[in-house]
Amino acid sequence: MQCSDILPDVIRIADEASDRVLRIYESDFKVNYKDDDSPVTAADLASHDVIVNGLRAISHDIPVLSEEGRDIPWEERKQWRRFWLVDPIDGTREFTQRNGEFTVNIALIEDGQPVMGIVTAPALKEAFWGVVGEGAHKRDRAGKVYRIQVAEPRARRRVVASKNHLNDETRTFIEALGDHELVQAGSSLKFCRIAEGRADIYPRLGPTSEWDTGAGHAVLAAAGGEVRTLEGAPLRYGKEDVLNPWFVGAANWYF
C-alpha cells in the first residue's frame, strides 16, 4: 500500500469528521472532564467514531491508536510496525473557547516516524496534508488546493506558540533566539503554519502526547521541516509511554 494511493480516502474521512465536529461546535454543546481534568465534548467522540470506522473500512489490517481509544495494552501495541495515530480534536480548549483554533488529526506511522498526515481546521475551513518525500498541500477557505513548503531563512525568526502554553521555559527559549516575531496559533496548526511558510520555529517545552503531534509532524516533514528533541534526536512514535519529550519543530535550515 502506497500512502499516495489512500491519501484521498483519508482526506475524505477527515472532512467527514470535520463536518460532524463543526455541527456540534455551532450548537449549544456541553463540556465534560476526564480523570486528568482535560476537557472532552461530544465532538471529540463523534470525530473519533467517524475516523476509526472510516480507517478500518479502507485499511482493516492497520491498527488505530486514538486519544479517545487509548487503552490498548503495550503488549499489543509494541508489535505494531505501522499504525494510524489519531487525535479526533486537538485543541479542545480552543474548541470550548470557540476561537476556531482546533484541528482534526490523522497520521500514519511507520517504524516510529510519521509518513503521512492530514490536519483539518473545521472552523477556519482550512486543511493540510502531506506525504513525506512527496510534498505537502493546503486547501484554503475557497477550496483552492496548492503545494506548500517551509520558508527560506530570515534574520528575524518567526516563532509560533500558543498563549495557553507559553510557560517560563518556552519564554526563555524564545528570548535566546534573539530578534524574533511571535506568531500565535493553537493546536497542531503550529506545525502547519511553519509548513506553509508563515512561521519558522515551534518550541514545545511542555507536555504533549503522540496523537497531539503525529499529523502536524508529518505535514511539516513533507513540506521540508523537521521535529527534533532538545537533544537533537528525531521525535519518535510508538513508544510504551505515549508522552513526548520536549521538542522543536522548524524548517530544516534551523537544525
Side-chain angles (χ1 to χ4, degrees):
M1 181 195 70
Q2 298 296 318
C3 291
S4 54
D5 293 338
I6 63 169
L7 178 60
D9 285 330
V10 184
I11 294 171
R12 173 184 53 79
I13 292 166
D15 285 340
E16 290 175 1
S18 297
D19 289 344
R20 290 282 299 276
V21 165
L22 194 58
R23 288 200 295 270
I24 296 171
Y25 181 70
E26 294 171 344
S27 70
D28 185 22
F29 62 83
K30 295 182 179 180
V31 182
N32 297 310
Y33 291 87
K34 304 177 189 177
D35 293 340
D36 61 1
D37 290 330
S38 60
V40 63
T41 70
D44 295 85
L45 303 178
S47 178
H48 167 86
D49 288 344
V50 170
I51 294 171
V52 171
N53 290 334
L55 292 176
R56 286 175 176 163
I58 66 169
S59 58
H60 62 275
D61 57 329
I62 303 178
V64 182
L65 178 64
S66 168
E67 180 179 12
E68 303 308 329
R70 66 179 78 177
D71 298 326
I72 301 174
W74 171 240
E75 288 301 311
E76 179 179 346
R77 289 194 295 114
K78 72 179 181 181
Q79 309 297 327
W80 296 355
R81 175 186 165 269
R82 170 190 283 180
F83 65 97
W84 295 108
L85 182 61
V86 174
D87 193 346
I89 295 182
D90 184 36
T92 301
R93 286 186 174 84
E94 283 82 0
F95 183 94
T96 60
Q97 293 165 5
R98 296 183 187 273
N99 69 11
E101 295 273 316
F102 59 90
T103 56
V104 172
N105 300 264
I106 305 173
L108 181 63
I109 308 297
E110 290 185 358
D111 297 324
Q113 289 296 301
V115 295
M116 179 173 69
I118 297 88
V119 175
T120 67
L124 303 181
K125 302 190 184 305
E126 295 179 345
F128 303 82
W129 56 82
V131 176
V132 177
E134 298 183 19
H137 292 79
K138 176 181 180 178
R139 187 181 65 214
D140 64 18
R141 293 182 65 90
K144 180 182 177 182
V145 175
Y146 50 91
R147 194 178 181 97
I148 56 175
Q149 63 182 23
V150 298
E152 295 296 322
R154 56 183 66 203
R156 192 173 199 223
R157 305 288 174 81
R158 297 167 299 169
V159 185
V160 63
S162 168
K163 59 187 177 182
N164 288 334
H165 303 290
L166 204 57
N167 57 20
D168 290 342
E169 292 86 354
T170 304
R171 290 190 181 92
T172 299
F173 180 98
I174 293 172
E175 291 302 322
L177 294 171
D179 188 26
H180 67 273
E181 171 189 351
L182 195 61
V183 178
Q184 289 286 344
S187 66
S188 59
L189 284 169
K190 293 185 279 292
F191 293 103
C192 299
R193 296 305 176 218
I194 302 173
E196 65 175 328
R198 291 173 56 183
D200 303 308
I201 304 168
Y202 166 33
R204 185 56 185 263
L205 281 63
T208 59
S209 295
E210 292 185 2
W211 42 73
D212 296 317
T213 59
H217 183 166
V219 172
L220 177 55
E226 294 185 31
V227 183
R228 298 188 186 181
T229 69
L230 298 190
E231 293 73 35
L235 190 65
R236 295 193 60 81
Y237 297 82
K239 309 182 303 296
E240 179 175 6
D241 184 352
V242 296
L243 291 177
N244 292 322
W246 291 359
F247 64 82
V248 177
N252 285 351
W253 52 258
Y254 172 75
F255 300 102

